[in-house]
Amino acid sequence: MKNSIFLKIFSGYLLIVIVILAITFPFSFRAIRHHHIDTLTDSLKNLCVTLNFKISSLLEDNRLEDLDSFIKDLGKEIETRITVINPEGAVLADSEKKPSLMENHRKRFEIIEAIKYGFGTSLRYSASVKEEMLYVAVPIENNGVTYGILRASLFLKEINSLLNNLKMNIIKVAAIIVIILLIGAFLFSRNLSKPLNELGHASRKVAQGDFSIKVLLKGRNEIKELADSFNYMTDQINTLFSQLSNQKEELNSIISSINEGLCVIDKEGVISISNKSFNNIVQNDSVKGKTYWEVLRITRFDELIQAVQREKNSIVNEIELNNRTFLCSATYCANKEEIVVTLHDITKIKNLEKTKKDFVTNVSHELRTPLTAIKGFVETLHDTNDNEEDQHYLNIIKRHTDRVIRIVNDLLLLSKLEGKSDSLELDKVNLNNLIENILKIFEQNLKEKNLVLKFNPDSSLPVIKADPFKLEQVFINLIDNAIKYTERGEVVISLSHKKGMVTIEIQDTGICIPKEHLSRIFERFYVVDTSRSRKLGGTGLGLSIVKHIVHLHNGRIDVKNIPGTGTNFIVTLPV
């Protein structure tokens, strides 16, 4: 059962009052009793001192009968028991009993103290009168001679009766005080718990979605300030909730209107959000709450999601689904460990790309035969005609024919590489030896342009598995470009390896590639300077071929433009 704050506060006050009374009353009664006993002790002591002279004269004259009679009369008159004892402890006179019948009092505590210290007191039960009594004893002296001990005593039943009456009065007063305190505690607890209960009720309403609830309290205290803060908070929450609802509706509308398929996959692999386009792509209208492998049973998609979860990064790849090609982008969201997946239909683009590739391949095949024939006839005319003017034109025709033939051959090679129909013939390749042999091809070109070639091999470079013929094409193309586009200075070729990867850098001091062209130099037919490319006989396909050969080897090629020092091509290949 839930304990209310009212019961807690009220019971707390009640416990405090009970504890205070339980501690205060016993000490109060004991203090009052001790005070009364001390007062009576002083009175009895004064009485003994007053009677000392009278009793000492009777003892000095040895008038014991007169002493006993005097003591009995005085005891009845003042309602106090008086006893006279000689120094040996024998009772000489007593106001209550016959002295000869009383036992020796030498060992009584008050007698011992009176003899030793000049004053003695004791509180004990009297065997002779069968009641609790207070005893006070003082020595009887005259002219420095001790004749005995005078003891006065009183019954404590009167003190106990007085204390009992006082106790009852104190209990009555305490009961009235307790009742008043409890009434005050009740009112205080109710006044404190009532607004808190209202706040608790209002909080539950807010938790249920009712933001219109208000807590209106009177007064100017902390609880009133709390209620005002609560009302302000509910207004703010209501405003924020409305804004969030509007934003959610707007977001849902945007997501639903996106043509690309979109879904969100949580860390357990469950689809939490999806739009209509995604449902149409997977041909399933109830994907929410299902695992992605139930909805998309595609190995490549599963590998993509696992790679994103493992690397916690964004990955883009192509997947085939229902005879259509989609560009799948998976982005990792670290805050919720979710993955946002978008599917963009690129089937038309891929078909168009295939059509273009097929067209280029077919045209290239068709052009090879007439170009070969043209080249043959031009060479025949060149050999059989001695006219200088005709020779000039024939040389022009031959040069452009060779250039077109190179373009056609490069296009055919590029088509094979892009279609991956040209498989790699892997073998063990020592890159130091391979590049060293390639450099011999360019010795004449370097001499003609007066360029310096620096080759920095790595003696610890591991042997890699690669297609040596295709790698020759890569490095011949890159070195040829470096020499071709460098008018003065040097070409530096460096080899290194790190963490299972081999790096080949080809750096020149030629013309710098403008920054805006760096991202496009690997596109087919893309040239930075068209007039210079034609002059040098470039086809615009060399770097595209290089890129595809490197990718076939699962490698990477990068280019850095170094202002003032030239260009640096970096090829990275796995060991």
Side-chain angles (χ1 to χ4, degrees), residues 99-378:
S100 60
L101 299 178
M102 297 177 68
E103 61 182 3
N104 191 288
H105 284 40
R106 183 69 179 79
K107 295 184 179 180
R108 301 293 170 90
F109 181 77
E110 67 275 8
I111 303 300
I112 295 172
E113 281 197 334
I115 294 172
K116 189 173 182 180
Y117 300 109
F119 174 74
T121 181
S122 177
L123 185 66
R124 69 176 184 273
Y125 182 79
S126 174
S128 57
V129 297
K130 310 297 182 184
E131 287 188 26
E132 187 178 17
M133 299 190 72
L134 172 65
Y135 297 94
V136 175
V138 295
I140 303 172
E141 296 177 338
N142 191 11
N143 297 323
V145 180
T146 301
Y147 295 97
I149 294 95
L150 177 60
R151 187 183 72 177
S153 59
L154 281 176
F155 296 106
L156 291 183
K157 61 181 180 180
E158 295 180 1
I159 298 175
N160 292 334
S161 176
L162 176 64
L163 290 174
N164 288 333
N165 291 333
L166 182 62
K167 186 184 293 184
M168 291 304 298
N169 291 332
I170 292 175
I171 289 175
K172 289 178 182 178
V173 172
I176 294 172
I177 293 173
V178 168
I179 292 172
I180 294 173
L181 288 175
L182 292 180
I183 292 173
F186 175 83
L187 295 175
F188 174 77
S189 302
R190 190 186 65 176
N191 291 336
L192 181 63
S193 62
K194 185 178 179 181
L196 293 178
N197 288 334
E198 291 183 15
L199 283 169
H201 174 72
S203 299
R204 289 189 292 273
K205 287 289 187 181
V206 171
Q208 294 170 1
D210 184 5
F211 299 111
S212 62
I213 191 74
K214 299 292 180 185
V215 180
L216 303 176
L217 299 179
K218 297 179 180 179
R220 293 183 178 180
N221 52 28
E222 289 81 357
I223 298 179
K224 175 66 167 57
E225 293 178 1
L226 178 62
D228 293 341
S229 299
F230 177 84
N231 294 334
Y232 177 75
M233 180 189 69
T234 54
D235 291 337
Q236 292 296 106
I237 291 176
N238 191 22
T239 302
L240 292 174
F241 189 78
S242 300
Q243 292 176 354
L244 287 175
S245 298
N246 294 334
Q247 290 176 0
K248 185 178 179 181
E249 291 178 3
E250 184 178 353
L251 182 61
N252 289 335
S253 300
I254 292 171
I255 292 174
S256 299
S257 62
I258 294 175
N259 291 328
E260 288 76 15
L262 183 143
C263 73
V264 178
I265 301 173
D266 63 19
K267 61 182 179 181
E268 304 298 332
V270 177
I271 297 175
S272 57
I273 299 174
S274 68
N275 65 352
K276 188 175 180 181
S277 298
F278 181 82
N279 296 344
N280 293 335
I281 290 171
V282 300
Q283 299 178 357
N284 189 337
D285 292 332
S286 57
V287 300
K288 189 175 181 180
K290 293 182 179 180
T291 55
Y292 71 85
W293 54 83
E294 292 180 88
V295 177
L296 282 169
R297 299 180 181 273
I298 301 173
T299 304
R300 196 164 184 179
F301 182 78
D302 182 55
E303 292 174 350
L304 175 68
I305 298 300
Q306 290 183 8
V308 172
Q309 290 175 336
R310 183 173 58 255
E311 299 174 11
K312 299 185 184 335
N313 205 345
S314 298
I315 298 178
V316 179
N317 212 332
E318 294 180 7
I319 64 171
E320 299 287 336
L321 178 63
N322 299 327
N323 298 322
R324 302 189 70 82
T325 304
F326 294 91
L327 185 65
C328 180
S329 173
T331 304
Y332 184 80
C333 299
N335 55 343
K336 288 189 176 181
E337 297 184 7
E338 295 178 332
I339 298 174
V340 180
V341 178
T342 57
L343 296 175
H344 179 61
D345 191 348
I346 58 171
T347 305
K348 292 182 179 179
I349 297 174
K350 296 298 288 187
N351 291 339
L352 180 61
E353 185 179 320
K354 185 177 181 303
T355 303
K356 287 169 64 178
K357 287 181 180 179
D358 291 343
F359 173 75
V360 170
T361 303
N362 294 333
V363 169
S364 300
H365 275 291
E366 293 298 324
L367 288 175
R368 288 184 75 176
T369 301
L371 285 172
T372 303
I374 292 171
K375 182 179 179 181
F377 284 116
V378 169

Side-chain angles (χ1 to χ4, degrees), residues 378-399:
V378 169
E379 289 176 348
T380 301
L381 287 173
H382 186 275
D383 294 336
T384 59
N385 193 330
D386 295 330
N387 187 291
E388 290 184 5
E389 187 176 354
D390 292 341
Q391 288 286 334
H392 172 70
Y393 290 117
L394 288 172
N395 285 332
I396 294 173
I397 295 171
K398 182 177 180 297
R399 187 171 67 252

Side-chain angles (χ1 to χ4, degrees), residues 544-563:
S544 296
I545 294 171
V546 167
K547 175 186 174 183
H548 282 87
I549 292 176
V550 172
H551 284 181
L552 280 176
H553 285 82
N554 297 318
R556 188 178 74 252
I557 182 167
D558 301 300
V559 60
K560 292 182 179 179
N561 188 13
I562 307 173

Side-chain angles (χ1 to χ4, degrees), residues 356-547:
K356 287 169 64 178
K357 287 181 180 179
D358 291 343
F359 173 75
V360 170
T361 303
N362 294 333
V363 169
S364 300
H365 275 291
E366 293 298 324
L367 288 175
R368 288 184 75 176
T369 301
L371 285 172
T372 303
I374 292 171
K375 182 179 179 181
F377 284 116
V378 169
E379 289 176 348
T380 301
L381 287 173
H382 186 275
D383 294 336
T384 59
N385 193 330
D386 295 330
N387 187 291
E388 290 184 5
E389 187 176 354
D390 292 341
Q391 288 286 334
H392 172 70
Y393 290 117
L394 288 172
N395 285 332
I396 294 173
I397 295 171
K398 182 177 180 297
R399 187 171 67 252
H400 285 286
T401 303
D402 289 338
R403 185 168 182 268
V404 174
I405 290 174
R406 284 198 301 272
I407 292 173
V408 170
N409 289 334
D410 286 348
L411 283 172
L412 288 173
L413 177 59
L414 191 58
S415 297
K416 289 181 180 180
L417 293 173
E418 289 179 341
K420 294 188 180 179
S421 59
D422 192 9
S423 60
L424 297 175
E425 296 180 4
L426 297 177
D427 196 0
K428 292 182 178 180
V429 177
N430 186 319
L431 288 175
N432 287 323
N433 296 336
L434 179 70
I435 294 177
E436 194 170 353
N437 292 329
I438 292 173
L439 294 179
K440 295 176 182 179
I441 302 173
F442 300 100
E443 289 178 354
Q444 185 62 35
N445 292 348
L446 291 167
K447 288 180 181 179
E448 290 176 358
K449 301 190 73 172
N450 197 24
L451 298 176
V452 177
L453 176 67
K454 293 182 181 179
F455 178 43
N456 300 320
D458 185 354
S459 58
S460 62
L461 197 72
V463 174
I464 67 170
K465 277 193 174 183
D467 188 323
F469 176 74
K470 287 189 171 58
L471 284 187
E472 280 185 357
Q473 290 180 285
V474 169
F475 298 125
I476 289 172
N477 201 312
L478 293 176
I479 295 170
D480 183 57
N481 283 346
I483 296 172
K484 189 183 297 183
Y485 293 101
T486 302
E487 297 301 329
R488 64 176 64 88
E490 61 184 11
V491 176
V492 181
I493 302 171
S494 303
L495 301 181
S496 62
H497 72 284
K498 186 179 180 181
K499 295 182 180 180
M501 301 297 288
V502 174
T503 303
I504 304 95
E505 295 188 45
I506 301 172
Q507 184 175 340
D508 60 58
T509 57
I511 60 172
C512 294
I513 301 174
K515 187 176 180 180
E516 63 271 16
H517 295 285
L518 284 176
S519 61
R520 301 190 60 190
I521 61 172
F522 293 106
E523 295 178 12
R524 63 173 72 184
F525 296 114
Y526 188 83
V527 290
V528 177
D529 188 341
T530 308
S531 61
R532 187 181 182 90
S533 179
R534 287 201 189 100
K535 179 181 178 182
L536 297 175
T539 64
L541 295 170
L543 290 179
S544 296
I545 294 171
V546 167
K547 175 186 174 183

